[in-house]
Amino acid sequence: MKIVIVIFLLFSQLAFAQQDKSNLFGFATSNTFAYWDVKDTSFLNKVIALNPKLLRFPGGAVGNFYHYGKSGYGFDFEEIDKYDAGRFSKRSRGLVKSTIKKGHTHNYLDDFIVLAKKTNAKAVLVANMFVDNDDIIKMIEKIKSNNIDIVGVELGSELSNRTFFAKGYTINDYIKSAKKCSDKIKEKFPNIKTAIVAAPLVNKKNHRHTVWNNKLVKMDFYDAIIIHSYARVVKGKKEFGQMLTEIPEGNSKEEAFDLYKARIIKYFSKDYPNEVQEYYGLFKKPIWVTEWNLQISWTTGNTTLQSLYVAQYFLELLSNTQLENIELTTFHNLGGRDYSGSIFRNNSDTLEIQSTYNTLNIIGSVFHYDNISVRKEVIKDQIYKYQIFSKQKRVAQLVINWSDKKYLSRNKPSKKVKIISNYSTNLFDKANINGGLMSQSYIMQHDFLVECLPYSLTLTTYLDE
C-alpha cells in the first residue's frame, strides 16, 4: 500500500509540473480597439512580440454592456444608465465618440479575431448579464469559425460592485441570469467553461459581499470563479483598481518608493497567497484572475517599480504552490488612453509604450517553452532567483533584484548563455514614450558569473552549443 501511495504522489507531482501553464500569460483588451487599429503594423507587431497566449474580449465594464453585430462595442446607453450608477456611463460615451471619430462601423469582435489569429492566442470572453439573448452564442460561433480556441466565458464582470447594487441589482438577479447564460452555453458547447463573479472578501457575515459569495458557493452550474487583483501600495482613496487621491509619504521619493517596495514584497510573500487560499477554501473551484495590475496610480505608474512588480507576479504564479489554483490570468490592460494601466497608451493618437512592455517581453519569452515549471530561490529578502525548466531540463533563469546593490549570480560553468537585463537607477524612474528604462544584452561563453544590477530583471537563457 505504501508503495502505491508513493507512486501516486510522484505521478501527481510530475503531472502538475508538466501541466500547460500558457493560460497564465494573458491580456485584457478592454477599450483597445476603440483607440488602436489592428491594421497598424507598428502596434500589431509590438503585440505579437509580447507572445500573448490568451486574450480577453470585450473586457470588464465594456463586456457587461457589449452587443454583438453593432458598430464598436454596440452600447445601448439606456441599458447602461439603467444598471450602472458609476462612471461607465460617461466612459462609454467617450468610447463611442472615439469609434465615430475613427470612422469605425464594424463590430470590434472583428478586430479581436484579427489580433487573436495574428498572435495565435486563445480567447476568454465576457458575457452581458443584463440581456437575455443569443449574443454570447453568436460570439462563440464566430470565434470558433475562425479556428480560435475559447478557454471559457466570464459570466459578467465585477457585478457585485456598489455601482450596480445602487441601481437595485442583487445577487438573486445575478444568479438567475448567470445560470441561464451558463446553461445556454453548455447546452451547445459543453466543453467551454464558465466562471462566476466572486465578490471581494470581507469579515462581516451580513455584508452584501459575504451574502453574495455564500449564495454562489451553494450553486453548481459554473466551473471557476473570477477575481480581480490590484496590489495597493500608495495610500489614498481608491476605486475600481485605481487611485482617485494619493497621500504623499516619506521625506523623499527614495523613502516613498522604499515603502512601496516593502508593501509589494509583503504582498507576494503573504497577502496575495493568503487571499487566493481563502477564495479557494470557500469555493473549491479554479480561479480566473481576469484583471490584475499594480494599483493604477500617477505616482507608481510607468515606473521601474511597476515593471518589477509585473515580472514578479508572473513568476510567483509559476513557482508558488499557494497560487496553483489560479488557472488563467489576463493583465489589465493591453491598450487604452489611461496612464499606467495599459501597456500601449493612446495619447492624442500618439503611441506611448509604458514601462511594463519590455518586462513583459522578457516574461513572454519564458512561455515559448513547453511544459514549463519554475523553482524559486530567495537569495536575500529583496533578491529572488527563478530557475526555469522545460520538460525537466533547465532552460533559463530570471533574477529580480529589488535592492540598490549589485548581485552576482554564481553558477557552475556549463555552456554559452544569453543575458538580457532591464534596470534603472531608481525605482521611481519612469520609462520614456518608447517604454525604455535602461537595458543591456550580451552573450557569455559560460554562465559562471551573471551580473544582476540594482533594481533589475535579468534573464539568463542557456543556449545550445
Side-chain angles (χ1 to χ4, degrees), residues 308-357:
L308 293 181
Y309 170 84
V310 167
Q312 189 160 2
Y313 185 92
F314 278 115
L315 294 170
E316 290 294 316
L317 287 179
L318 293 168
S319 63
N320 189 339
T321 57
Q322 288 184 291
L323 304 179
E324 67 186 18
N325 300 117
I326 296 177
E327 194 170 72
L328 67 81
T329 77
T330 51
F331 175 80
H332 190 82
N333 187 44
L334 187 65
R337 278 198 318 183
D338 60 292
Y339 181 80
S340 89
S342 295
I343 302 166
F344 303 103
R345 184 188 183 212
N346 186 315
N347 186 11
S348 300
D349 291 328
T350 298
L351 173 61
E352 290 188 3
I353 304 171
Q354 304 288 282
S355 67
T356 50
Y357 179 73

